[in-house]
Amino acid sequence: SAKAVLLGRAAPVNKTPAPIRNLTTPVNNAPVYKKEQPSQPSLPFRTRLINIFEAYRPSKLPSVAPTLAQFKDQEDHVISTLVAKYGPEPTTNILTQPLPPNWSQIETSAGDLFYLNGVSGEKSWSRPRASTNGG
């Protein structure tokens, strides 16, 4: 009868569960999920954007200030999206690296950074790197 079919039990399905990622030590046999932490969470959002753009997309450096304004209060989402798109967040803060001789860091009225060579007049959105080979 239809009632017997409804009350009947289906044969067990032998399914192997998918592996669970990002687990810490279980408590009482219950998995505890570990939230993925950004590599530079203590740095300001602006600095983190600059570091990511310097490493992966220097052409985006002139858009840091508008990005900050557009995504105010969405910092974690923006960083996660950029990391998924480009790769891991850089572990070195580019803004703490020394500039080569004659170069200065300038902040625009909008809040973006660029670099100026006071001798040659050359300008760059990307931070110039000090030479490590002595020349």
Side-chain angles (χ1 to χ4, degrees):
S1 80
K3 188 175 180 180
V5 172
L6 289 174
L7 295 176
R9 297 189 187 254
V13 177
N14 187 7
K15 241 184 180 178
T16 305
I20 300 173
R21 296 178 165 187
N22 297 329
L23 292 178
T24 60
T25 306
V27 177
N28 298 329
N29 295 323
V32 178
Y33 291 92
K34 184 169 65 172
K35 183 178 180 188
E36 298 208 11
Q37 295 295 320
S39 63
Q40 298 281 345
S42 62
L43 292 176
F45 182 41
R46 175 185 189 216
T47 302
R48 294 171 73 193
L49 276 179
I50 290 170
N51 286 331
I52 290 171
F53 290 159
E54 278 281 357
Y56 298 107
R57 287 295 298 268
S59 64
K60 294 281 191 183
L61 287 165
S63 69
V64 168
T67 301
L68 292 173
Q70 181 179 358
F71 295 102
K72 187 175 183 337
D73 300 324
Q74 299 176 46
E75 291 87 353
D76 290 339
H77 173 71
V78 171
I79 296 297
S80 297
T81 301
L82 292 173
V83 166
K85 183 174 184 175
Y86 298 125
E89 192 172 349
T91 56
T92 302
N93 180 358
I94 189 74
L95 298 178
T96 62
Q97 303 302 306
L99 286 168
N102 305 316
W103 283 91
S104 304
Q105 178 177 292
I106 310 290
E107 186 170 340
T108 68
S109 59
D112 286 314
L113 298 178
F114 74 96
Y115 302 91
L116 173 67
N117 184 312
V119 173
S120 70
E122 181 182 357
K123 295 176 186 173
S124 174
W125 286 106
S126 269
R127 186 177 180 90
R129 307 285 205 280
S131 176
T132 56
N133 61 10

